[in-house]
Amino acid sequence: MPEPEVLTDMDVAGTDRYVMRKLPEVTLAFWVMKIAATTLGETAGDLFAQTLKVGYFLTTIALFLIFVVTLVVQLRSRRYNPFFYWTVILSTSMAGTTMSDFMNRDASAKFLTDGATSLGWGPQGLGLGYPTGAAILISLLLAIFAIWKRTGLTFAIRDIVSFRAEALFWAAILVSNTLGTSMGDFLSDSSGLGYAGGALLVTGALAVLVVLMRVPAVPNVVLFWIAFVLTRPLGATAGDFLTKPVAKGGLDLGTAGSSAVLLAVLIGLMGYAHIQERRTAVPRDKSLTGVS
């Protein structure tokens, strides 16, 4: 059997042949899985860094290396595989959680779990604060999008089929998930809204985006990326709501228990997506553009 042809960026731009897509369709199931993955990323990141007292420094290094490994597997895949894709999303969520915490927090008592006096080996945060950390991450995300635009490659997720476009996509995903963590922590810890209030605010913003999808003048690609960033603080606040003590407005389910339940839910959803993908797998024409 001949090897599948690898299409370059110019091939994709200049031919009417079918190409194999690498990323999923954007449907309601996509957003459900995204929120589940980001919530698990929040609880799992806190589990390693805080509950197990590995600390932000070592946990960030370990989770970033896991992200690199999962990303290599995804980039080497020749077609969309739900397990590969959502594993990278999960790894960016976990790494983004501890990267954000390392940027914004420090080893002061207000950031330590009850009864803890230290948090692992190495520096335990730069202490930049949520506003400064968010400003840095927004600037970095805008820089990635500026580079992406200069390449002339599509921003539409379901039309990303080249290596360069996918690499830029995952760079934006990692930074957006880190930014979303900072936003979620700010809403939960510093804004006065609390976990439930922060989640309601983000949910309201997402509802506005759904309405804007009906406005022809607003590109759906722009709405997609705004929604992608906003679903991360929704996951962060949901994760905090599940794990934090009742006295702080949470359910006090713990990071280990919450992570186990969320992991089971996410694996179940990935299995369902894999079955659906095998049932409906058909070649995609490169002329289909935009985000549905």
Side-chain angles (χ1 to χ4, degrees):
M1 180 180 294
E3 289 292 324
E5 182 180 4
V6 177
L7 299 180
T8 65
D9 300 335
M10 292 301 296
D11 292 328
V12 173
T15 183
D16 290 328
R17 285 178 293 178
Y18 290 111
V19 296
M20 289 183 291
R21 62 188 178 91
K22 294 289 299 294
L23 303 176
E25 297 284 352
V26 180
T27 63
L28 178 60
F30 171 92
W31 292 113
V32 172
M33 294 178 71
K34 168 62 165 60
I35 294 171
T38 54
T39 305
L40 176 57
E42 177 74 14
T43 59
D46 288 346
L47 171 64
F48 292 114
Q50 299 178 28
T51 305
L52 299 179
K53 296 182 174 59
V54 177
Y56 300 132
F57 181 68
L58 291 180
T59 303
T60 296
I61 293 175
L63 293 179
F64 186 81
L65 291 176
I66 291 174
F67 159 69
V68 172
V69 172
T70 59
L71 179 60
V72 169
V73 173
Q74 165 68 19
L75 291 175
R76 289 177 62 86
S77 175
R78 292 185 178 275
R79 65 180 70 240
Y80 170 59
N81 183 302
F83 286 98
F84 294 166
Y85 175 84
W86 289 105
T87 299
V88 185
I89 291 291
L90 177 59
S91 67
T92 61
S93 298
M94 292 191 299
T97 294
T98 55
M99 288 167 62
S100 170
D101 289 344
F102 184 78
M103 289 178 61
N104 301 324
R105 300 180 179 185
D106 53 33
S108 59
K110 65 180 180 178
F111 294 123
L112 298 177
T113 55
D114 294 339
T117 57
S118 62
L119 196 62
W121 178 86
Q124 293 310 315
L126 302 177
L128 298 178
Y130 299 127
T132 301
I136 293 173
L137 291 166
I138 289 173
S139 299
L140 183 56
L141 186 60
L142 291 176
I144 292 173
F145 283 136
I147 295 171
W148 195 340
K149 183 175 178 60
R150 286 181 62 87
T151 66
L153 299 170
T154 179
F155 285 97
I157 178 174
R158 72 183 190 184
D159 292 323
I160 294 176
V161 295
S162 69
F163 179 88
R164 281 199 301 165
E166 192 180 0
L168 287 166
F169 170 81
W170 287 115
I173 293 299
L174 179 62
V175 175
S176 67
N177 275 333
T178 307
L179 171 61
T181 301
S182 295
M183 294 171 61
D185 287 342
F186 171 76
L187 291 174
S188 299
D189 299 337
S190 304
S191 68
L193 294 175
Y195 307 124
L200 287 174
L201 177 62
V202 176
T203 302
L206 291 172
V208 172
L209 295 182
V210 172
V211 174
L212 290 176
M213 289 178 62
R214 305 296 181 183
V215 180
V218 182
N220 280 353
V221 172
V222 174
L223 296 178
F224 167 82
W225 281 104
I226 296 174
F228 204 97
V229 172
L230 287 179
T231 49
R232 184 63 183 93
L234 180 60
T237 53
D240 287 338
F241 180 67
L242 291 173
T243 60
K244 298 301 182 182
V246 175
K248 294 184 177 181
L251 296 180
D252 199 19
L253 299 180
T255 54
S258 298
S259 297
V261 172
L262 289 167
L263 180 60
V265 170
L266 185 59
I267 291 175
L269 290 172
M270 286 193 292
Y272 174 78
H274 183 67
I275 293 172
Q276 291 296 106
E277 179 66 20
R278 295 189 64 178
R279 287 178 177 173
T280 60
V282 294
R284 286 195 65 83
D285 191 299
K286 69 95 187 176
S287 64
L288 295 177
T289 58
V291 176
S292 60

